[in-house]
Amino acid sequence: MTDPCRLDATTARALMRDGRLTPRELTRACLARIAARDGEIRAWLSLNPRAEAEASAIAASDPRPLAGIPVGIKDVIDTADLPTTHNSPLYSTRRPSDDAPCVEILRAAGAIILGKTDTTEFAAAGRNAMTGCPADPSRTSGGSSAGSAAAVADFHVPLALGTQTGGSTIRPASFCGTPAMKPSWGLISAEGVKLYATSLDTVGLYARSYDDLALLGDLYGFPEAGMPPARPKLALCLTPYADELAPEALDLMQSLPERLAGVADTEWLQLPAGMGDLDALHRCVQMSEGAAAMRNLRHRGALVHRDFLNRANRSEGHTARQMFEAYDRLADHRRAFEFLAAPYDAVIAPAAPGFAPLGRGAGKPKFNALWTAMQLPCIHVPAVSQPLPLGVQLVAARAQDSRVIRLAAQIAPALASSPPAVTEGKDD
């Protein structure tokens, strides 16, 4: 049998039901992988010292959908039995009294909370996560959900939770090469999550397979949206910011008609010129809502990073009135995009500007923020593994989450075949 730590959750559960794997064996394999690799990858801020004992108490025949499955939780999401520090010196001893609802749902389904994963401070700015890309630890795994992406990609856990305010779930997934999803805004409760921008913040999902993402979607109550057709129609969109793509990302996008020719019909879609302000609108909302979220930090003293004081003081100059005008403009864009995308089963767009850059920076969110601003579901599909991971994202109308997971599973084998010859672009 494959090393248990490399199994997806769906396969692991099937083996447990067949009596060929126990929760304890899976948990021990994950902990062994962490012990062997995390000194270099540094995906974890804390581990659950009771994980093996918890796994031993779960019967392999337990019918719960995640019984015995280890899960990582981004350390901006509350957990009752582990610290939630937000990777901030201000909260280094913080111990919440309750799980966030998104964690409580996993635990009720039988999951073992294996530990807390590293994150950009407050999932926003300040301190970077120390996590390296599994394919090349000299490079970043991306931000802000750095540890969650790397933990799944490097076989520490089959599932992990992240968050996304700009590109914090999808971009790390591309840098690390693992399936991931930013659901439609509001489908998963953000209670118990450190908030940065309330109309943007979304709990994100990392998994090793699309079956696993579908399983999580069922747990979180994603609405049923039907099956994609046998031969879907897909729009390929470089976004209004195509001139900022690195050569490898542009090569990947341009290879898609050939890659997908056997499984889908494709055509290029150019967003209207009026949508070129999406990134600026996202920035206005993020920084304005962030100013409210971080205003209290002005009274916390020397441990507060200058980034947060700048946000609290509205240093970029966005006014409250501009924030409300941005809400209205984004509502118009949401309706316009969903009308424009209606003839297609999904839109495929770059998931990141290129390969993971050197260092520990979060990376540029520009190819994610426009979709986040419109509160749309996005799913990352790995497409290139050499010389480094790189993928694309499928974007669909709101509430089409279940359908777009099925669509990703349908086209993923074609996307991952015959990678084009790509060269590294300049490091950011």
Side-chain angles (χ1 to χ4, degrees), residues 344-366:
Y344 306 103
D345 293 291
V347 174
I348 302 184
F355 293 140
L358 294 167
R360 291 295 181 266
K364 297 177 180 178
K366 205 161 196 177

Side-chain angles (χ1 to χ4, degrees), residues 42-136:
R42 301 185 68 176
W44 300 89
L45 289 178
S46 62
L47 290 171
N48 178 3
R50 299 168 300 283
E52 193 171 334
E54 291 175 11
S56 298
I58 297 174
S61 59
D62 190 317
R64 291 177 295 172
L66 290 182
I69 301 298
V71 179
I73 307 296
K74 183 177 179 178
D75 198 28
V76 294
I77 303 174
D78 284 352
T79 46
D81 55 354
L82 290 167
T84 301
T85 72
H86 314 308
N87 188 24
S88 171
L90 295 171
Y91 291 94
S92 59
T93 61
R94 180 172 179 267
R95 296 291 294 259
S97 59
D98 298 292
D99 287 331
C102 61
V103 175
E104 184 178 356
I105 287 169
L106 297 179
R107 210 186 290 273
I112 298 166
I113 307 306
L114 200 64
K116 305 301 287 290
T117 56
D118 205 354
T119 173
T120 309
E121 189 173 356
F122 296 137
R127 299 201 301 193
N128 289 320
M130 294 304 295
T131 312
C133 174
D136 178 356

